[in-house]
Amino acid sequence: MQAAGKVYLVGAGPGDPELITVKGAKLLKAADVIVYDRLVNVELLSYAQPGTELIFCGKSPERHTLPQEEINRVLVYYARQGKTVVRLKGGDPSIFGRVGEEAAYCAERGIPFEIVPGITSGVAAPAYAGIPLTHRDLSSSVAIVTGHKRVDGQGDPVRWEQLATSVQTLVIYMGVGNLPYIRDQLLKYGRPAATPVALVRWGTLAKQETLVGTLDNIVEKVQEAKFKSPAIIVVGEVVRLREKLAWFEAKQADGEGTEQRGSSLPALKTVVV
């Protein structure tokens, strides 16, 4: 009987290919199969060796190229062939990356796995926009929240009545489409209308955009700017620091830009399942 391979659930980082961890890069070089998401920078695939099988699972808010259940099955299928499988996820796999579901699926079937953390976009995108999430004078508490509702209606809803004033900084993932509701909930439960809000789109990439407002006007600003996902939303006084600390935009304005690896890829085998 063939020995099982192993599944590595790897964080790809927030977008800039240089922000992947050293361990993550090593695993990409060693992988027989790479299963990657829509928000993974494809330049990271240049770490793969010739002949590596690539499977794009391409989930987006509007459609899933592969349903989650099928992704789970793909990981186990290749691992049972004795292969080293890297499941490459944008950001950190433990932050709204469904790593718990995929790891549990492997564990239940006796497939060895490891979780390799990555830099999550909820930390990196604000940092690149000049917004540290904590500050001794402004914020000693942070909550990471999903702004996206499950389409099946299951799962615990976000308790906005508790979050609105219990923490100083809110970091909201996948919340652009639901922003009017989020804004209304925060105001309803006591967050001041003048609270600063920032949205950071395509954080850490050369095309990064940042939009700043307050709870009172941010929905209108987003609509006027036609600001779309993917974006991280930051709510709290730390947003004001951006006026002094917006280092990345200054770097872009000086023409330095974000250095990226070459776009040419080795001869890789793309698999359709």
Side-chain angles (χ1 to χ4, degrees), residues 2 35 44 52 71 84 94-95 111 123 142 152 159 163 169 182 185 190 223 232 248 270 272:
Q2 186 176 30
V35 182
L44 291 175
T52 301
I71 294 171
T84 297
S94 298
I95 304 296
I111 301 298
V123 173
V142 180
D152 58 11
R159 295 174 174 83
L163 283 172
T169 303
I182 294 170
Q185 293 299 298
Q223 292 171 346
I232 291 292
F248 186 65
T270 302
V272 178

Side-chain angles (χ1 to χ4, degrees), residues 25 27 54 64 77 79 98 104 149 153 182 210 218 249 269:
L27 288 170
L54 303 180
H64 288 183
Y77 171 79
R98 298 193 180 184
K149 294 182 179 180
I182 294 170
T210 305
I218 193 63
E249 279 92 345
K269 180 181 178 184

Side-chain angles (χ1 to χ4, degrees), residues 93-186:
S94 298
I95 304 296
F96 304 124
R98 298 193 180 184
V99 75
E101 298 174 42
E102 295 175 5
Y105 192 89
C106 291
E108 290 162 3
R109 287 153 183 82
I111 301 298
F113 69 89
E114 288 186 22
I115 299 173
V116 181
I119 300 174
T120 183
S121 58
V123 173
Y128 268 55
I131 305 170
L133 299 183
T134 64
H135 187 281
R136 286 197 301 169
D137 298 328
L138 299 174
S139 176
S140 58
S141 58
V142 180
I144 296 175
V145 185
T146 176
H148 179 67
K149 294 182 179 180
R150 284 183 58 161
V151 294
D152 58 11
Q154 299 181 15
D156 291 335
V158 175
R159 295 174 174 83
W160 296 110
E161 68 276 15
Q162 297 174 3
L163 283 172
T165 57
S166 63
V167 294
Q168 291 154 307
T169 303
L170 286 172
V171 180
I172 304 169
Y173 289 64
M174 303 170 286
V176 177
N178 209 24
L179 184 58
Y181 172 79
I182 294 170
R183 186 271 308 270
D184 291 346
Q185 293 299 298
L186 292 176

